[in-house]
Structure formats: C-alpha cells, structure tokens
Amino acid sequence: MSGKIIASHIALAASLLFTSNAMAQVQQGDLPEDMQEAPETAVTPIVVTGTRIQRDGYSAPTPLTVLSIQDINASAPANVADFVNQIPSVVGSSTPANSNLNMSSGTSGLNTINLRGLGTSRTLVLLNGQRSVGSALGGQVDVNTFPQALISGVEVVTGGASAAYGSDAVSGVVNFILNEDYTGLKASADMGISTYGDAANRKFDVTFGTPFADGRGHILLNGELAVRDGLDGVPRDWNNQGWYQINNPDYAPGNGAPERLIIDKAGLSLATPGGLITTGPLRGTYFGQGGAIGQLDFGVVNDPWLVGGDWRLTQVNDTQSLDPAENRKNIFGRISFEIAPWLNVFAQASYSRSVNRGQLGIHRNQGNVTIQADNAFLPDSIRNQLVAANQTSFRFGTTNADLGIRTNETKRGVQRYVVGADGEFDLFGSVARWDAYIQKGIAKTRESALGIANNTRLTQATDAVFAPAGNSLGVTAGTIVCRSSLTAPSNGCIPLNRFGTNVADPNAVDWILGDLYRLQRFEQNVYAANLSFDTVQLPAGAVAVAIGGEHRTEEVSGYVEDQYQSGWFTGNYLPSFGDYSVTEGYLELLVPVLDSLDLNGAIRATDYSTSGFVTTWKVGASFEPFDGVRFRATRSRDIRAPNLAELYTAGSTRSNTVLDPFNNNQSAPFAGTATGNPNLDPEKADQWGVGVIFQPSFVPGFSASVDYYDIKIKDAIDSLDAQTIIDRCFDGVTQYCSAIVRGPNEYGTNLQIFESPFNFASQRARGLDFETSYRTEIGSGSLTLRGIATFYLENTLDNGLDPAVDISGQNSSGGNPEFLYRLTASYANGPLRLNLIGRGISSGTYDNSFIECTTGCPASTSTARTINTNHINGAFYLDASAYHDFSYGSTDLTLFASVSNLLDKDPPVVGSGPAGSAYATPATNQSLYDLLGRTFRVGAKINF
C-alpha cells in the first residue's frame, strides 16, 4: 500500500482520534484519577497485568490493553468475543461465520482469539488467569464457553509472555476477568436482527450471588441461553455480480498479458446445477428444470472459468450460510469460603452445551463424471446424436442441485472444574500473596457432515441402464436399473437421474447420501501454584519476587464408524489419539533501581514430554524520567510446542480442485488429506518491544501511548495448501513432490495431496500500536474520547525453500491489513449514556507477491504472478448505542439499543480463485469485513 494511502488513513484516525471507548494499552493505574472509570459493581482484583508481580501502583513494562465492562457495553455485542475481535491488535480470529466450512478440522462454530495475526494457537487465552480446555483438536479455547454475564473486563497482554504465563503465549495473553464477588440477582435479555429482517438472534441470562457465614463465604450462580437463527445462503446484492480471480483466457507465456484477472460476470465452465456436457460434439448442452435441454453460452472460456455468456446460470457461491445457526446453553457455579486471612478456598464448575449448524455448499463435479451413451435417463434426442456421432461416452459436469446442499453440524459439551485456594500472610515484614489450583477440563464433540455423497454409490447410481430380458434382478425388460445391479443384484443400488433439476428419485438420493460423524474427547488437567512477596529493601523500594510452577496434561481420543472413514465426497473422518504433558517452573523479579526506574525479569524452565526441555526468559524496564512521560521496553524468548492436532491428527480427507500445472493448469479434482507430524519441534520466538506513555499535566484528562513490537519465530509450525504444494513441485522443488500421489484412490479422484505441518524456517512480525484517550466535563455530563490503532509493518513467512512472503497488507483470506483502528466517543449525563464508534480497515492487496499490470507484463511465475489488479478496498464502519438507567427503590433497570454498521456499508469485493473452493465462496473476505449489513440490537438489564 502506498505511503499516500497510509497517510490518508492515519489522518482519518487522527481526525477521529478521541473516539474510542477505553481499550487502553495504558493501564487503569496509569490514568489520572479523574479518568479512571468506576466499575458497575465491585470486582475482583486484576489477575493479569503483564507480570506475575502483584504490587499496588506498579506499571509493568509490557504493553497491556485493558477493556472494561463500559467498553464492552458501548458496542453491545452479541457475545464478548465479537467485541474483542474488533481490537486492532486482534486480526484473523476464527468466528462461527468464517469457520463454517472448517468441517474436517472440527473448528467450525468456534469463537477464538488471534493476536497479531500469528494464529490462535500462539495466543494464550485465560479465564481469571487460569487455563481452559480447548474445544477442538488444535487446543483452541472457545470464548463462548465463558459465562458472558460475569465478565467484568478483558486484559490483553500484547507481547510475548511465555516466561511469566507459560507456553503458547508467543503473541500474547488474553485474560477474561470474572466478577466473583457479585451480590444480588440480575437478569438480562436482548435480541438483534439485520436491517433486511434476517439473521435474528437473542440471548437471556440470569445471575445470583450471595454471601454467607457473615461474609466469609460467597455463592455465585449464572445461567445463559443464546440462540442465533442463522442465515442460509448469501441474500445480499454484493454477492451477485460474479466476481472471481481467474486465469486469463488471453494469457500465454511471454505475450505480455497478466496471468490472472480479477473480473466480474464470471462463472463455471465445467458444471451447471442440472448438468453440462463438457466434451465431444455435444459440448455445451446443459440440462435445466425438469430435464429441459439448453445450449450454454460460454462467452470467453478458460476452463474451469467462463466470462460473460450464461455466467449467472453457473453461480454456486450463495449455497453456504452467511450466518450459521447456533444454540448455546451455559451454566456456571462458584463457592468460596475464607477459613482464615491466609486461607481462602474455592470450587467452581461450568458446563457449556452448543449446537452450531450451517450450510457447506453443493457437491461439485467439474467435468469429471463419465456418462455412457446407453444411460437410460438420457433424452432420446441426445442419445440419437451420440449414436450419429459414434460417441460411446462423454464427460459431464454438474453442481448436483438435486443432491441438496451439504450441511455442517457440530455439537459440543465443555465441562470445566476448578478447586483451589489463595490467601495472604506476612513474610519478611511485608504481605505475601499465594494461590494454587487444580483444573480439569473435558470437551466432547460430535462433528457431523450431513447429506454427503458416497462416491461409490453415486457412481453406481449414475450408471443407469435399461434392464435386458431375463436379467438377474427379475425385473421387466426395459426397467431402469443400475448397471452394477445386473451383476450384483443385492447391492441395493437405486438409479439416479442427473440430467436436470427436480428430476432425481428421492429414494436414490437417500441411498447415495449419508450423515457422517466423528466423536472426539479432549481432556486437560492443570496443577498450578504461585507465590509473590517482597524481599530486600532498596532505596527506591523492595525487590519483589514471584515464583511458581505448573504441570499440565493434554489428551485426545476419538471414534469414527468404519463406514465413515473413507469413500465420501468430503469428511472421511479418522479418530485421533495422543497425549502429552508439560511441567514448568518460573521465577520473576522486580528491582526498583530508582524512584523513576524499575527493572523486571523472568525465567521459566519448561519440559515437554514430546520434545524435551526449553528455557524462556524476559527482561524489561520502565523508566519515568519526569512526570508525564514514561518509557517501557521488553526483550523476551517465548515458545510454543506442537499441539494435539499438529502432532496426532490421524487424517481427514476432503474433495476439492486444484489447477494442475502438470496438465496445462486444467482444473483437477483431488483428495486433500491432513495428517499430524509427531516429529515436530517447539517454536522459539525472540521478541522485543519499546514504547512511551505521555500524560501531560498541562492537559488534564489526556493520555497517549505508542509501542513498537518485533517478533521473530524460528522453526515456526505451519502447513502449506494443496495448490502451493503442486505448484512448487512443478517448479522443481522436489521436497514438495513426495506429498503428491497420483492414480485411482478410495476418494474417487486420481490425485491425492497430503497437507501435514512442519517446522518452517522462520516467521517475523513487526508493528506499531497507538493509544490515546481524553476525558472532560461538558455541562452536567462527561465526554470520553479514545482511540486505538495497530500499524502492521511486517508479517513475513519464510519456509526456507521459496521466496519469503510478507502477508501484512494483504486483505485477502489468510493475510492481515496494514492498518486497523477503532475510535469511540462516549457521553454520559446522569442515567443516559451515548456511544459512537468508528472502525477502520486500510485497503490492501490480494497477494504482496503479485505483480500488477495490464499490458507488457513480465514473466509470471508461481511465486510472482502477474494480475490485472492487486487492490482490495478498505472499509470504515460506524456503530452507535444508547443506554438509559431507571431506579425503582432497590431495583435498577437499564434499557439499551444499538446499531452496528450504521451506514449499511457493503463489504468490499474480494474475488476468490482460481481454484479450490473459490466457486462456492462469497465475494468478500469473511474474516475481515462486516457481512450482514446494518444490524439492530435492543435489550434490558434488571438488577435487584
């Protein structure tokens, strides 16, 4: 992105600088007293502060974003994960909307957090400073399993924190804080709907808390029900223009034309909903409603694409769910009791049950079905033309409208139990704080792929013939039967008419389709203890120490019926089994060198059962040379060991297509198989950050900060997609060729590509975080203006074989924008609170390695493609909300209303392609932009 464009976005952010509702990397303790927000109710002390040191007034050198309950309420989100995922330092997170197609990996329906765009597996998600069991094989923690109504704030440590908090915290820590001391009875209800009258959702919760035994004990209970109706299909105008990324029909090596085009009015050239003859003298004959015969206008063709002509007829990118349906129920309970000032014991339990369901799209056969000329369902006119042309068969492509739309359904039950104790006691003349807990988490999932075609049965049912006289089936001559049944009368095959829409026998469809499923069980056990205290007194204060240890085990087991393990269009689940353990111990020190200078350091020893011993460390400094200006810096070594998915995935196989460079880039069906790699090594990340906080006394109520981060990951764990693997093999990089197997297979394709993780050579991420806030009195009310932004300077992947690729500034799937900002203005006057929020996304590219040109293009290669445009627009959204409080004696009532995407802005066009699932993908980046348009939300909260 050009400097001029970047400057325009920075100028826009500056013009709205004072418009973000307190998502501060400036900690509450850093703010002047008149700016610190009073909580809605009394809350428990902050658990994560960028350090394990617990000392009043201490400001850690690690940048920290503090999100209060007021910040969350300003957005009035359907769930707290939706709010956190709008923070600029969070990008590329998994949500139910963008993970709907992740059927084989089992991650559909999850709400996870991805800091810095480095992956959810590198973000450590905590609940009150404690780990939580993952809801998928990759260990992803589903934020929706947390008790939403009890969350009093969220803290984001946007920097390496492995030495203080443990493994996986490569990009940082996100800690959800619960109000464990709530007293009273409260309930809330809210509902939302889009401006188009669809995608309705609603949520209800009730919370009860009471002390007992003269306040020494406390009981807390919470229940929640959340329902999303979902939105099947893509009923939005922005998706109806046929935008895709295709191979240029006019391209030839050396002719100066771009190899790729971003173009509208494009469609499939190898399939229609009711079927298309793709070879021979009848090429272009298609079958429509009731089997009606037509001739396809191909326009301009470069298989598997056509441009112009009958492009609308071949569209299938509206057959998935824009907003998957969800039904979630959460219950939470906690009891605590203070036995003595030094000993408080507690126990808590929670259970979350969710069902997520969404459409996956159609079964796609792109010209890879062979139809015999004697097929009984062929119209006589077609059969006669084949006989006249001496054609005994032809190739056929179809998007199988009569087979229905595939559906993904995932049921999850997540249990979490914690027992522990904490307290304070005198040590070395000061207060020492300790805590210890045992946690057991169990997640059980049923991952289902519904309405999936069995490859063998589909092939058999397609090959339908007229039964001859005296056939082994004993049916009347001329009866339509499966050819296979003439030699295997008991195979149960029911012939299928694939020539048109609304022509198939429902019994044949039922025989072909199956409902595949996989059961998985994930178990996590954690034993942890921490102690912090002051030791030697120095002139500037006492040296503070924190020590602790943790032992954790992770285990997966599964079950899949034999019949569902192979031979299906997609799914082909296999059960995974495996476990590992981690034992860690850490020491952290705070040394107040001067009144204005603190040094902080930590070291952690970690032993993995799978990969051995690793040491992590951190050093940092906080320096305030004069009032109003504080500098901070950190340097750290962080780690992440391979998770259960990367180690033990037994293999799941899906059907898709690639452009085969070995066959003139023709579209080729393939079976993509993902497996684990038990030989993976831990990732190691070296990172450092520097920042400054400015709080001038001559501008009361103002605070600003800027922080720079630089993260270098060695032996980064990742996997390559199938298209990249086959392209690199074609380029002569032989290491990739071993992952490609050609020839017939049990998945109905002649090509299988294995996609397994391995240790990349390196990955590097650099960026700048900006924060500002200002509060002032206006009349009888107060105005709070705040802004937060992240400028992603670099996010480079280098696998050691190909040229390094920087995905920062790529607004296509898998990349991250160069500049993100969130700006909020909040006005409070008595019982009324008004909020206006602006969210900005910079424009970007499809791929930073692409070369944009229209004529005179240089040679196009697999690592430097030429393309007619490499630009994706940015976006700016406005949200608004209003709250009003009412009091009736001891009862408090709050009514609120909010509007998201106030201007009903369509998402920018992002053309998918040129292979894979592009044909079925909506024409935007579902991970980045608002999809539903303007949405409304109203609700009420009552507190007794």
Side-chain angles (χ1 to χ4, degrees):
M1 187 169 61
S2 70
K4 184 176 181 180
I5 296 174
I6 295 172
S8 68
H9 277 279
I10 294 177
L12 175 59
S15 68
L16 298 170
L17 190 61
F18 307 118
T19 53
S20 182
N21 195 26
M23 294 182 299
Q25 286 181 337
V26 182
Q27 303 174 54
Q28 284 284 316
D30 294 331
L31 299 176
E33 185 176 350
D34 66 328
M35 289 184 60
Q36 297 187 27
E37 299 190 18
E40 284 189 339
T41 58
V43 298
T44 53
I46 290 174
V47 179
V48 171
T49 57
T51 172
R52 293 283 186 178
I53 301 293
Q54 298 185 36
R55 172 181 289 177
D56 294 339
Y58 169 57
S59 297
T62 306
L64 177 68
T65 299
V66 180
L67 314 174
S68 70
I69 189 64
Q70 289 85 1
D71 306 326
I72 299 172
N73 286 343
S75 294
N79 58 70
V80 72
D82 289 347
F83 168 71
V84 175
N85 282 326
Q86 291 180 0
I87 303 170
S89 59
V90 176
V91 63
S93 297
S94 176
T95 68
N98 65 40
S99 65
N100 181 53
L101 300 184
N102 298 345
M103 180 187 62
S104 296
S105 65
T107 59
S108 61
L110 296 181
N111 243 324
T112 63
I113 308 297
N114 183 358
L115 278 173
R116 303 297 190 207
L118 292 175
T120 56
S121 62
R122 296 180 181 131
T123 302
L124 179 59
V125 177
L126 304 176
L127 181 63
N128 264 12
Q130 302 166 350
R131 289 182 182 264
S132 187
V133 64
S135 294
L137 187 59
Q140 296 93 336
V141 175
D142 186 4
V143 175
N144 281 347
T145 64
F146 296 166
Q148 308 281 304
L150 287 174
I151 293 174
S152 61
V154 184
E155 294 176 331
V156 182
V157 181
T158 49
S162 291
Y165 297 108
S167 56
D168 304 334
V170 171
S171 56
V173 176
V174 180
N175 182 49
F176 292 82
I177 307 165
L178 298 185
N179 180 1
E180 298 173 346
D181 297 324
Y182 173 77
T183 298
L185 174 65
K186 66 177 181 178
S188 69
D190 56 76
M191 60 183 60
I193 196 168
S194 80
T195 193
Y196 304 99
D198 52 28
N201 59 86
R202 51 211 167 272
K203 183 177 66 177
F204 312 91
D205 63 71
V206 60
T207 303
F208 173 74
T210 183
F212 65 92
D214 296 325
R216 296 172 62 190
H218 197 84
I219 295 175
L220 187 61
L221 301 171
N222 170 261
E224 178 184 351
L225 170 65
V227 178
R228 303 181 74 95
D229 292 345
L231 179 59
D232 291 336
V234 189
R236 298 293 187 267
D237 291 341
W238 52 262
N239 193 54
N240 298 327
Q241 305 305 314
W243 282 100
Y244 294 100
Q245 179 184 158
I246 72 169
N247 284 332
N248 185 0
D250 296 328
Y251 169 77
N255 73 349
E259 181 184 8
R260 298 266 177 92
L261 297 177
I262 304 299
I263 198 167
D264 64 347
K265 298 180 177 58
L268 284 173
S269 65
L270 294 174
T272 63
L276 173 72
I277 298 176
T278 61
T279 60
L282 299 184
R283 177 179 177 269
T285 300
Y286 73 87
F287 304 89
Q289 174 67 30
I293 299 173
Q295 184 65 35
L296 187 71
D297 181 354
F298 282 98
V300 180
V301 178
N302 186 9
D303 290 337
W305 297 101
L306 60 80
V307 181
D310 289 328
W311 66 274
R312 286 189 183 276
L313 179 63
T314 69
Q315 291 297 289
V316 291
N317 69 342
D318 59 351
T319 55
Q320 63 170 265
S321 293
L322 192 63
D323 188 42
E326 177 187 45
N327 188 303
R328 174 170 49 85
K329 303 176 182 69
N330 290 358
I331 57 173
F332 175 91
R334 188 179 194 276
I335 184 170
S336 61
F337 189 80
E338 183 184 273
I339 297 174
W342 62 272
L343 180 59
N344 178 71
V345 296
F346 67 89
Q348 68 184 45
S350 62
Y351 179 73
S352 176
R353 171 72 174 174
S354 65
V355 180
N356 297 86
R357 187 183 180 98
Q359 291 184 347
L360 286 169
I362 44 80
H363 292 83
R364 186 177 69 250
N365 293 112
Q366 291 179 221
N368 64 330
V369 180
T370 298
I371 301 295
Q372 302 299 324
D374 63 349
N375 190 290
F377 289 117
L378 276 175
D380 289 340
S381 61
I382 299 297
R383 187 180 296 106
N384 293 337
Q385 292 180 69
L386 291 171
V387 171
N390 198 30
Q391 296 286 311
T392 60
S393 67
F394 59 83
R395 299 287 278 180
F396 183 74
T398 175
T399 51
N400 293 295
D402 279 8
L403 291 184
I405 297 176
R406 299 173 295 145
T407 300
N408 181 19
E409 181 181 84
T410 304
K411 298 179 179 178
R412 291 187 178 88
V414 180
Q415 311 167 50
R416 186 172 183 268
Y417 309 96
V418 184
V419 294
D422 55 49
E424 299 179 353
F425 60 92
D426 291 334
L427 182 66
F428 305 130
S430 63
V431 176
R433 302 177 177 91
W434 68 278
D435 69 87
Y437 73 93
I438 299 173
Q439 187 244 177
K440 174 179 282 292
I442 299 172
K444 297 180 180 179
T445 66
R446 181 185 176 99
E447 302 152 16
S448 301
L450 309 178
I452 308 301
N454 181 281
N455 295 324
T456 299
R457 290 189 174 190
L458 181 58
T459 299
Q460 291 175 341
T462 299
D463 192 15
V465 296
F466 295 110
N471 61 80
S472 59
L473 289 169
V475 298
T476 304
T479 301
I480 298 178
V481 299
C482 300
R483 193 190 307 269
S484 62
S485 298
L486 296 176
T487 55
S490 61
N491 70 357
C493 181
I494 302 174
L496 175 71
N497 184 356
R498 299 181 78 176
F499 306 113
T501 59
N502 294 316
V503 297
D505 181 351
N507 294 320
V509 173
D510 290 343
W511 184 74
I512 292 166
L513 301 182
D515 295 338
L516 289 65
Y517 73 93
R518 171 173 58 192
L519 303 179
Q520 295 204 95
R521 183 182 189 276
F522 313 109
E523 180 173 337
Q524 180 189 73
N525 295 284
V526 181
Y527 311 86
N530 303 283
L531 172 66
S532 65
F533 54 91
D534 290 344
T535 59
V536 180
Q537 278 288 340
L538 300 179
V543 175
V545 177
I547 59 173
E550 177 181 302
H551 178 74
R552 184 173 85 256
T553 62
E554 306 270 1
E555 181 179 0
V556 61
S557 58
Y559 170 76
V560 180
E561 291 186 34
D562 292 343
Q563 63 174 320
Y564 297 140
Q565 294 188 14
S566 64
W568 299 84
F569 189 87
T570 193
N572 301 296
Y573 297 122
L574 292 176
S576 297
F577 299 89
D579 63 80
Y580 68 87
S581 62
V582 188
T583 302
E584 304 181 273
Y586 75 90
L587 169 67
E588 183 175 8
L589 296 175
L590 164 65
V591 181
V593 179
L594 304 170
D595 290 338
S596 59
L597 174 63
D598 290 327
L599 299 181
N600 176 241
I603 188 169
R604 176 178 291 258
T606 303
D607 185 38
Y608 291 97
S609 62
T610 53
S611 51
F613 186 83
V614 185
T615 300
T616 56
W617 49 266
K618 177 188 73 171
V619 293
S622 178
F623 178 50
E624 188 171 2
F626 45 85
D627 289 343
V629 177
R630 181 163 63 89
F631 298 93
R632 56 191 176 195
T634 57
R635 184 77 167 89
S636 66
R637 160 65 62 87
D638 300 280
I639 59 168
R640 184 184 76 86
N643 57 44
L644 290 170
E646 293 161 337
L647 291 168
Y648 302 122
T649 295
S652 57
T653 302
R654 73 193 192 283
S655 296
N656 213 318
T657 59
V658 293
L659 299 182
D660 189 351
F662 292 92
N663 188 24
N664 196 29
N665 276 329
Q666 293 298 302
S667 177
F670 79 98
T673 301
T675 59
N677 180 359
N679 299 316
L680 291 171
D681 295 321
E683 299 179 338
K684 298 180 179 67
D686 292 318
Q687 56 183 296
W688 64 277
V690 295
V692 59
I693 299 170
F694 184 49
Q695 296 173 294
S697 57
F698 53 84
V699 185
F702 176 80
S703 180
S705 69
V706 59
D707 287 275
Y708 171 80
Y709 67 89
D710 188 336
I711 306 172
K712 297 178 181 178
I713 305 175
K714 296 180 292 185
D715 299 323
I717 300 169
D718 209 335
S719 58
L720 295 176
D721 63 88
Q723 188 66 60
T724 299
I725 291 171
I726 198 169
D727 284 344
R728 299 299 185 269
C729 176
F730 179 77
D731 291 341
V733 186
T734 57
Q735 291 92 327
Y736 292 106
C737 298
S738 61
I740 302 171
V741 178
R742 295 184 183 272
N745 56 53
E746 58 189 325
Y747 307 104
T749 69
N750 288 309
L751 176 64
Q752 187 171 9
I753 301 177
F754 291 87
E755 304 161 298
S756 299
F758 63 96
N759 289 100
F760 275 117
S762 65
Q763 184 169 358
R764 185 180 186 187
R766 299 182 299 117
L768 290 165
D769 293 320
F770 302 93
E771 178 82 32
T772 187
S773 59
Y774 178 68
R775 177 175 292 180
T776 187
E777 300 299 318
I778 297 181
S780 59
S782 62
L783 177 67
T784 302
L785 306 166
R786 294 185 178 174
I788 186 170
T790 295
F791 188 13
Y792 291 89
L793 299 172
E794 179 183 359
N795 191 348
T796 298
L797 302 173
D798 184 353
N799 60 23
L801 300 173
D802 306 308
V805 177
D806 182 3
I807 64 172
S808 179
Q810 291 183 185
N811 286 25
S812 55
S813 178
N816 63 260
E818 201 160 18
F819 191 53
L820 293 169
Y821 55 92
R822 180 183 172 91
L823 314 160
T824 301
S826 298
Y827 178 74
N829 189 344
L832 178 65
R833 300 187 301 280
L834 303 175
N835 305 283
L836 182 65
I837 301 171
R839 295 178 283 123
I841 303 167
S842 65
S843 61
T845 68
Y846 279 88
D847 193 308
N848 289 336
S849 68
F850 284 173
I851 300 171
E852 183 175 321
C853 57
T854 54
T855 58
C857 295
S860 186
T861 68
S862 63
T863 56
R865 305 277 187 190
T866 53
I867 193 168
N868 67 325
T869 178
N870 195 25
H871 179 79
I872 298 175
N873 288 337
F876 180 76
Y877 301 103
L878 281 176
D879 308 328
S881 65
Y883 286 76
H884 199 288
D885 300 327
F886 302 88
S887 294
Y888 303 95
S890 61
T891 301
D892 297 322
L893 173 67
T894 299
L895 302 179
F896 72 88
S898 69
V899 184
S900 181
N901 193 356
L902 185 66
L903 303 180
D904 195 26
K905 185 177 180 63
D906 288 341
V909 167
V910 180
S912 298
S917 298
Y919 326 100
T921 301
T924 192
N925 184 344
Q926 294 172 273
S927 299
L928 190 60
Y929 301 111
D930 281 17
L931 304 176
L932 297 177
R934 184 189 300 115
T935 58
F936 302 93
R937 190 162 208 85
V938 296
K941 303 178 181 181
I942 189 167
N943 195 340
F944 300 96

